[in-house]
Amino acid sequence: MPVPVPHPRTVVLPHQAGPVDDACARTAQVAGAPGAGDAMHRGPDAPEIEQRLSADPVPAQQGLTLLLIGEDPNSHVPEMWDWAGRKVRLRTARNLTEAERLLTDDVHCILLDLPPAEPAGRTAGDSGTPADDALGMLRDVLRLAPSHAVLVLTYETDAERAADAVRVGAQDYLFRDELDGAVLSRAVRYAVERKRADLAQRQLTESRMLAQENARLERGLLPTPLLDGSDLRFAACYRPGRSRALLGGDFYDTVRTADGTVHAMIGDVCGHGPDEAALGVELRIAWRALTFAGLCGDELLATLQKVLEHERADDEIFATLCTVDISADGRRAGLCLAGHPAPLLARAGERPQLLPYECGGPALGLLPEARWPRRQVELGGSWSLMMYTDGLIEGRIGEGNQRLGQEGMAELVGRQMESGLGGDALLDAAVREVRDLNGGELTDDVAVLLLDRR
């Protein structure tokens, strides 16, 4: 049988080719160069190319380890050395059972030696499957080692099946009758880098999909005010402190019941993580359900405290809350405070003033038998009522440790109202100025709710 003339190369599909300056692409280019495995035919740039490729991502103290899987225990694999001059370690397995035992974390690449294809139509015993269904073995290897690079070894007469192996999931293939150490070394390194790139791309895609799903979920959990039939105008601003999140531990809601009363609330769960955000959503939904059921004031807050006690992760978690119920004529309101900052009320022609705080009760979750008195407030004919969380007032002023505080916030909002701002524009301007005074983004969640009657 005549010996074929070596023409080493690896196969790179068009959609797998990377940028010219990519390490994988450079490896493929070297492996694909005519005469790449022949020292007598290397071009003048070969040493320079190999030097650029010598930046091996494999840790310096660890050489390459290969696992050869094949039915023939005498399969010959040329000796190879890595780019640091260390001999590549080779393990051999005759079947998947042995391969599973030898497949440890230090294996970088699997060489799958496919047997020669059987004549067409021949079957294997009673299984009814083609005897040359080596791709089935490849699929088993991919399931066994999903994070390892797989390089298929076959014969030139099986070129079509070799291409199918790449389509199924192998990183590359080589023909056995063209094999030498240089070609195999480059192909192995290319396969390892291809696998790393594939895994990185898959992780990136999964992360993006997860982020999109989380964003849709969080966006769906934000409240939709129910104010049909009311002459009050509503505006809100919400900025979670968590990076790249849409939902934080702050929560708010506004609904109008059948008797014409408008109920509004705003609250803050201590902490900033996803667990606190989830608890805030639970409290908001519970508040809406209890409000439509006819509860208000102390009875409603006591029931919310029971919800908090059953749903919180540990006994140290608490939540502050402010609730307001505005009469159908819009001239009076009942106010309940549970450890929360008092709302800001601006009547027509007057400077904004903080509503009384002295009659408030403790935050939810602190005292088992707590009570929250309801205070009656006269609103007047034309007014603006702003409810907010402490993220708006705890920002710093300048470079020192001084905080903006409620008085500073009232002065800031009053000045912007005098300039003619209202609604969403007022809230956006207020939050923006608070952030500028802080010297950067606020680290705490911020929720602001504004109700107007003109």
Side-chain angles (χ1 to χ4, degrees):
M1 174 177 175
V3 179
V5 178
H7 49 282
R9 51 91 189 100
T10 56
V11 173
V12 183
L13 301 181
H15 69 280
Q16 298 165 347
V20 174
D21 60 347
D22 182 75
C24 300
R26 294 198 302 270
T27 307
Q29 290 170 357
V30 174
D38 188 349
M40 299 296 294
H41 294 87
R42 290 191 302 172
D45 296 333
E48 179 183 353
I49 295 174
E50 292 189 3
Q51 183 177 6
R52 292 201 307 267
L53 291 172
S54 63
D56 191 353
V58 179
Q61 70 276 13
Q62 176 183 334
L64 283 171
T65 300
L66 308 182
L67 174 60
L68 172 64
I69 304 176
E71 295 179 357
D72 183 4
N74 298 317
S75 294
H76 174 68
V77 174
E79 289 187 345
M80 294 180 291
W81 284 263
D82 62 19
W83 300 105
R86 294 165 300 200
K87 187 175 181 179
V88 174
R89 296 185 295 273
L90 179 67
R91 301 173 185 172
T92 59
R94 289 173 296 181
N95 50 51
L96 291 180
T97 302
E98 292 184 8
E100 186 173 8
R101 178 174 55 84
L102 297 174
L103 188 63
T104 55
D105 291 339
D106 60 339
V107 173
H108 298 94
C109 183
I110 296 174
L111 305 180
L112 179 59
D113 188 9
L114 298 183
E118 294 290 342
R122 182 175 175 182
T123 58
D126 298 330
S127 64
T129 59
D132 66 335
D133 188 16
L135 294 183
M137 185 176 183
L138 172 60
R139 293 186 177 93
D140 292 337
V141 169
L142 294 174
R143 284 192 292 267
L144 176 65
S147 61
H148 287 74
V150 177
L151 184 62
V152 169
L153 304 180
T154 185
Y155 291 88
E156 191 167 3
T157 55
D158 293 339
E160 184 176 351
R161 187 175 60 168
D164 287 340
V166 174
R167 176 183 54 79
V168 168
Q171 271 62 58
D172 204 350
Y173 68 85
L174 286 176
F175 293 143
R176 273 202 149 277
D177 39 11
E178 301 176 352
L179 206 56
D180 64 24
V183 171
L184 182 57
S185 177
R186 291 187 176 97
V188 166
R189 292 171 61 83
Y190 172 79
V192 170
E193 292 307 312
R194 267 282 316 279
K195 187 63 179 181
R196 287 178 179 169
D198 290 345
L199 291 175
Q201 182 62 41
R202 182 182 305 172
Q203 292 172 355
L204 178 60
T205 301
E206 291 175 352
S207 298
R208 287 175 176 171
M209 292 178 63
L210 181 60
Q212 292 171 356
E213 291 176 0
N214 289 341
R216 287 195 296 269
L217 176 62
E218 293 182 23
R219 192 177 295 110
L221 293 175
L222 291 172
T224 301
L226 300 179
L227 292 175
D228 293 343
S230 174
D231 61 351
L232 301 183
R233 294 186 299 175
F234 170 87
C237 180
Y238 191 90
R239 294 191 180 185
R242 289 190 296 138
S243 176
R244 292 175 297 194
L246 298 177
L247 199 63
D250 291 2
F251 54 98
Y252 67 90
D253 205 350
T254 306
V255 298
R256 180 176 183 267
T257 50
D259 61 358
T261 303
V262 172
H263 303 262
M265 72 89 167
I266 195 165
D268 182 3
V269 176
C270 66
H272 308 288
D275 292 337
E276 289 76 13
L279 183 56
V281 171
E282 291 181 82
L283 292 175
R284 179 186 69 79
I285 295 174
W287 175 87
R288 177 176 284 203
L290 294 171
T291 298
F292 280 125
L295 276 67
C296 68
D298 180 76
E299 186 179 11
L300 186 149
L301 292 175
T303 308
L304 282 180
Q305 174 158 280
K306 292 180 181 179
V307 174
L308 172 66
E309 291 172 346
H310 285 88
E311 298 296 333
R312 62 186 175 183
D314 61 69
D315 294 340
E316 296 183 358
I317 293 180
F318 62 90
T320 65
L321 198 69
C322 170
T323 68
V324 174
D325 53 276
I326 303 170
S327 61
D329 62 7
R331 304 186 67 88
R332 293 172 303 280
L335 171 66
C336 287
L337 296 174
H340 199 86
L344 188 68
L345 176 64
R347 298 184 179 92
E350 299 180 10
R351 297 282 297 176
Q353 298 291 329
L354 293 169
L355 293 181
Y357 178 81
E358 293 75 15
C359 295
L364 303 181
L366 294 182
L367 301 176
E369 303 298 330
R371 289 293 178 263
W372 297 272
R374 179 177 177 272
R375 184 186 183 102
Q376 190 74 15
V377 178
E378 292 295 328
L379 300 177
S382 180
W383 48 265
S384 295
L385 182 68
M386 191 175 85
M387 305 165 68
Y388 53 92
T389 56
D390 58 6
L392 186 67
I393 59 177
E394 291 185 349
R396 289 184 171 83
I397 301 177
E399 298 180 356
N401 293 324
Q402 184 180 358
R403 306 284 180 171
L404 176 64
Q406 290 178 279
E407 297 297 335
M409 182 268 299
E411 189 278 331
L412 181 152
V413 172
R415 178 165 29 86
Q416 292 174 340
M417 283 184 170
E418 288 179 354
S419 68
L421 293 178
D424 291 319
L426 172 63
L427 299 187
D428 290 342
V431 173
R432 184 168 55 251
E433 184 170 348
V434 170
R435 182 189 59 195
D436 293 342
L437 290 173
N438 187 60
E441 289 294 337
L442 301 168
T443 57
D444 197 2
D445 301 332
V446 175
V448 191
L449 185 155
L450 184 67
L451 290 171
D452 287 311
R453 183 172 187 267
R454 300 299 182 194

